[in-house]
Amino acid sequence: GKGMEGRNGGPPGDLYLQISIKDHSFFSREGDDLIVEKEINFSDAVIGTTVEVPTLEGKKIVKVPPGTQSHTKMRLKGLGVPHFQGEGRGDEYVKVIIKVPKKLTEKSRKLIEELAQEGI
């Protein structure tokens, strides 16, 4: 009933809106949960590290434990999108992506070969 008036003084029609949502540059969404991908080096995945990640409330520091595998999701409880109806919010997940170098120096190659001989 919020559209244009009908012909010859008839009742108004319905108003339809078409909404398009653009992709965000670093957040993706699954329901009320947010996903952000964070790349780390192989060495950081092996020995552990801390990373800074964006959230809707600003940047947060997240601890990446030693031995983290690529595509592991770490949960930041309550940092997602507010629920449409009701209280609370979704979660934010940090998806760890391990970078594999495309080029190695001779020294790096030797070190990786030594690790391979150790079974790592």
Side-chain angles (χ1 to χ4, degrees):
K2 299 294 181 184
M4 294 178 59
E5 288 184 13
R7 291 188 181 178
N8 299 323
D14 293 329
L15 175 65
Y16 292 94
L17 299 176
Q18 182 176 357
I19 298 173
S20 298
I21 299 174
K22 290 183 179 181
D23 290 335
H24 194 271
S25 59
F26 49 86
F27 286 122
S28 61
R29 187 171 174 179
E30 293 178 4
D32 290 339
D33 294 334
L34 295 176
I35 311 291
V36 63
E37 291 186 357
K38 186 66 177 181
E39 286 189 346
I40 64 171
N41 293 323
F42 167 77
S43 57
D44 289 333
V46 172
I47 62 175
T49 189
T50 57
V51 293
E52 185 177 83
V53 295
T55 72
L56 295 179
E57 297 178 355
K59 294 182 180 183
K60 301 282 183 188
I61 301 295
V62 175
K63 184 178 179 182
V64 179
T68 297
Q69 301 297 305
S70 192
H71 293 79
T72 296
K73 287 184 180 178
M74 295 182 290
R75 179 178 171 206
L76 303 176
K77 188 174 180 175
L79 293 180
V81 177
H83 297 307
F84 181 64
Q85 294 181 349
E87 296 180 12
R89 296 171 65 167
D91 299 322
E92 180 174 333
Y93 289 89
V94 179
K95 186 177 181 181
V96 176
I97 307 294
I98 298 174
K99 292 188 293 186
V100 177
K102 293 181 181 180
K103 294 183 179 181
L104 294 173
T105 65
E106 190 59 36
K107 180 179 178 182
S108 296
R109 183 174 188 77
K110 279 188 168 196
L111 290 170
I112 296 289
E113 287 172 353
E114 286 179 33
L115 287 173
Q117 288 177 0
E118 291 289 323
I120 296 178

